[in-house]
Amino acid sequence: MHRPTLLLAAASLSLASLHAAPHTLKFNFEQAKLYPGTTREITVHVPDAPAPDKGYPVMVFQDGVQYGAPGVFDKLIAEKKLPPIVGVFITPGRIPAPDKNSLDRFNRSYEYDNISDTYARFVAEEVLPEVALRAKVKLSDNPDDRGLGGQSSGGICAYNAAFQRPDLFRRVFCGIGTFVNIRGGDSLPKLVRLQEAKPVRVFLVDGSADQNIYAGDWWMANQMMERALVFSGYEVRHDWGDGGHEGKHAGRVFPEAVQWLWEGWPAGLRANPENKSKAPVAALLGDSPWEKVGEGYGFTEGPAVAPDGGIFFSDIPASKIHHLGSDGKLSVFAENTNRANGLMFGPDGRLYACASGAKQVTAYTADGKASVVAEGIEGNDLAVSAKGDIYVTEPSAKKVWLVRKDGAKQVVDEGISRPNGVLFTPDQSQLIVADSAGVYLWIFTVKPDGTLANKQKYHYLHIRDGLTSSSADGMTVDTEGRLYVATSYGIQFLDQAGRVNGMFSTPNDKVSNLVFGGPERDILYATCGDMVFKRRLKAKGVNSFEAPVLPPKPRL
């Protein structure tokens, strides 16, 4: 059995005398809003130690009291090996049966195995405020002061809550975690490899005799999770043994594990410490953070890069187009745009727009004067080739249009559920169309006459738990052939073979469209609801109004 060597350091505490009397209390909680109708027992253990100024650190456990945690905490706190942690132990919810001839509804799998952020919100928004009120203690709301623990489904619940909401919880003890095919839990190792590393520290426990049933192999699944966490640069330790699906092993290592989880406190945890991540998303993003460009708009869309690297974007409800100059100054470029949506420059230097409110495609000259290019198209987004051909998506009619330089128009595709974003590959030999109502992006060969052929569902996107579609919207592409797609799961980037290589989110977790801009075309601009953000990437964008670019062949 492998057991890691743990460095045990006493935390440096700055304490205020807020509460120094140890006590344990139990109460039933029946006021849940996120899990309406449920009842559950909650046990709270307050240590024999005063609280820090910002409030007690807290560790939350699923399935009630486990691992002898209250006694372990008391001993280690007295020895100055742990901060003064309040233990909160929650049983899974039940909805009581209406009569003696009926069964209760048992919510354990529903609450614990789901990979949404609902349970994290339930604990943070509903349980912890009630605990503070009933126990008469102040609890810290700093995520570095909050941990979770659990066994089996309670284990995956503990990890998932921190993974989904690292702004709420960051320290995880997971025994025999259910990272298998129950409510999508087997997707978590995959998502760990694709997403930016979170500032989360994890201790995993499992044994080779763990169960192997219809849902999967727990032993193998926990090893896959550990390998994914290491791959993506997380702070992770494990203790593997030969036990089965039980809690004895986790109980033995818990005292050591919990010390490591809180080692270094009150210093905060960092994402990808020591830059160990091997994930493509880490190499692409580097250390540059998101920066806010502007805010207070109705709904931003259609970012387009000008030849000088400046950015134009639309505010659809306000019928305005805004300009972010190369000097960083914002100004209004055009008003009364008929709810202009998608924007893109053409080889003639004009800014083309989908004026959806008037069912027109319009073009703007440098002084902001508009002219009508085509009518009768309720366009959403558009792409303009170096030859001047314009491709326009019309979601309401399930059509993709080709508008030629002389204004002649024709339908070149029909039948995509909701065609949205549209973009050329860097060499302009293929056209990609996003289906906001589906899982795939569609790809076409662009024929010499501008029509489309070889239609194929090609790029596979990931879907956030609880949704049935990707909500794929605007797209952009770089010189390596990577495709960046705005989705409900954040920004997903794919290789030329149609595979998602990584995903990352904007600060407000919203994104509708993307474009590379700046003098070097290495700044990614994202329209995000009422805001616009930018982030420098280790990549350079390609503009379809310029000469085609041949990217390297994909690694297959």
Side-chain angles (χ1 to χ4, degrees):
M1 178 177 69
H2 168 72
R3 179 168 295 175
T5 300
L6 299 175
L7 300 176
L8 308 180
S12 175
L13 307 179
S14 174
L15 303 177
S17 180
L18 177 66
H19 185 98
H23 66 280
T24 299
L25 71 147
K26 294 182 180 180
F27 62 91
N28 288 327
F29 185 65
E30 299 177 344
Q31 300 82 40
K33 296 177 182 178
L34 289 169
Y35 300 116
T38 57
T39 180
R40 71 193 70 228
E41 184 180 83
I42 297 177
T43 302
V44 183
H45 183 74
V46 181
D48 183 12
D53 292 338
K54 58 184 175 179
Y56 279 111
V58 63
M59 196 157 184
V60 179
F61 294 81
Q62 285 58 250
D63 288 315
V65 178
Q66 295 196 63
Y67 316 123
V72 171
F73 286 166
D74 287 345
K75 180 177 184 296
L76 295 177
I77 291 168
E79 295 172 354
K80 304 294 191 213
K81 294 177 179 177
L82 275 186
I85 297 171
V86 169
V88 178
F89 308 90
I90 309 171
T91 62
R94 288 183 300 106
I95 296 180
D99 54 57
K100 294 181 180 179
N101 296 318
S102 305
L103 285 174
D104 292 352
R105 186 191 304 171
F106 299 96
N107 254 27
R108 185 173 184 269
S109 177
Y110 174 69
E111 294 175 5
Y112 290 179
D113 293 321
N114 263 317
I115 58 170
S116 70
D117 71 346
T118 305
Y119 191 81
R121 291 172 50 218
F122 168 66
V123 173
E125 298 170 13
E126 300 188 34
V127 172
L128 293 184
E130 187 73 11
V131 165
L133 180 66
R134 289 180 180 253
K136 297 181 173 59
V137 293
K138 180 182 178 182
L139 300 177
S140 173
D141 59 4
N142 185 329
D144 287 306
D145 297 343
R146 289 175 167 182
L148 300 130
Q151 191 82 355
S152 189
S153 290
I156 188 177
C157 180
Y159 173 73
N160 180 68
F163 179 70
Q164 301 290 349
R165 296 299 301 269
D167 59 321
L168 299 177
F169 303 97
R170 293 187 176 175
R171 302 173 195 268
V172 177
F173 180 78
C174 177
I176 55 174
T178 303
F179 301 112
V180 295
N181 188 23
I182 298 176
R183 301 184 186 271
D186 54 339
S187 69
L188 282 177
K190 170 181 64 181
L191 294 174
V192 167
R193 292 175 181 270
L194 293 176
Q195 295 187 16
E196 290 182 85
K198 317 289 178 70
V200 173
R201 185 181 286 176
V202 186
F203 197 104
L204 299 168
V205 180
D206 201 12
S208 58
D210 203 347
Q211 61 187 358
N212 181 11
I213 60 173
Y214 72 95
D217 185 328
W218 266 249
W219 168 235
M220 298 304 296
N222 275 268
Q223 292 178 84
M224 287 180 64
M225 174 56 80
E226 189 269 341
R227 288 175 64 83
L229 290 166
V230 170
F231 176 82
S232 291
Y234 280 79
E235 286 190 273
V236 57
R237 291 192 181 181
H238 66 273
D239 197 307
W240 301 147
D242 55 9
H245 200 73
E246 39 78 15
K248 295 179 182 178
H249 180 183
R252 288 195 303 271
V253 302
F254 178 73
E256 296 177 84
V258 76
Q259 290 175 78
W260 175 74
L261 286 173
W262 290 89
E263 186 178 84
W265 184 90
L269 301 178
R270 295 189 301 114
N272 188 23
E274 302 178 21
N275 296 314
K276 291 183 178 180
S277 177
K278 299 177 183 178
V281 68
L284 181 70
L285 297 177
D287 298 324
S288 296
W290 283 106
E291 299 176 49
K292 185 163 56 180
V293 172
E295 62 182 331
Y297 307 104
F299 184 82
T300 57
E301 251 288 5
V305 60
D308 68 353
I311 300 297
F312 292 77
F313 61 91
S314 56
D315 182 349
I316 298 175
S319 282
K320 292 181 179 180
I321 297 174
H322 296 267
H323 176 226
L324 176 67
S326 54
D327 58 1
K329 293 182 179 179
L330 276 166
S331 60
V332 176
F333 172 72
E335 299 185 87
N336 303 315
T337 64
N338 287 311
R339 295 178 64 83
N341 191 334
L343 308 173
M344 186 168 285
F345 273 86
D348 57 2
R350 294 192 295 174
L351 177 65
Y352 289 83
C354 292
S356 56
K359 296 186 177 181
Q360 296 173 337
V361 177
T362 55
Y364 289 86
T365 53
D367 57 4
K369 293 181 179 179
S371 59
V372 177
V373 177
E375 297 190 90
I377 304 174
E378 191 177 2
N380 178 279
D381 208 347
L382 50 75
V384 188
S385 74
K387 297 190 297 183
D389 287 337
I390 307 166
Y391 294 84
V392 186
T393 55
E394 186 176 16
S396 60
K398 301 183 179 182
K399 294 179 179 178
V400 179
W401 293 82
L402 168 60
V403 179
R404 302 185 186 277
K405 287 188 292 185
D406 60 3
K409 64 181 184 181
Q410 68 182 101
V411 175
V412 288
D413 183 71
E414 294 184 84
I416 296 175
S417 296
R418 191 164 181 80
N420 198 320
V422 58
L423 187 74
F424 290 99
T425 54
D427 59 13
Q428 299 189 31
S429 67
Q430 301 179 82
L431 188 75
I432 303 167
V433 177
D435 179 4
S436 60
V439 180
Y440 291 91
L441 306 178
W442 295 81
I443 194 166
F444 303 81
T445 299
V446 181
K447 297 169 69 175
D449 64 357
T451 59
L452 304 177
N454 304 323
K455 180 179 181 180
Q456 187 176 2
K457 287 192 296 186
Y458 188 69
H459 304 81
Y460 175 84
L461 298 171
H462 294 283
I463 297 177
R464 190 180 291 275
D465 182 69
L467 301 181
T468 58
S469 67
S470 67
S471 300
D473 203 332
M475 302 178 288
T476 193
V477 70
D478 68 21
T479 55
E480 297 295 311
R482 285 181 291 239
L483 176 68
Y484 302 75
V485 189
T487 75
S488 58
Y489 220 148
I491 299 166
Q492 302 188 44
F493 64 93
L494 305 91
D495 59 20
Q496 294 178 71
R499 304 167 297 197
V500 174
N501 285 183
M503 50 208 303
F504 54 103
S505 298
T506 57
N508 67 349
D509 205 28
K510 300 177 182 178
V511 60
S512 61
N513 214 326
L514 311 158
V515 74
F516 279 97
E520 302 298 323
R521 304 295 192 273
D522 60 348
I523 301 175
L524 186 69
Y525 289 84
T527 50
C528 305
D530 62 342
M531 300 181 183
V532 179
F533 295 98
K534 68 177 182 178
R535 186 172 192 172
R536 190 178 301 275
L537 302 189
K538 295 182 179 180
K540 292 190 176 183
V542 174
N543 304 315
S544 62
F545 60 78
E546 297 174 332
V549 172
L550 183 65
K553 291 182 179 180
R555 295 181 60 185
L556 303 178

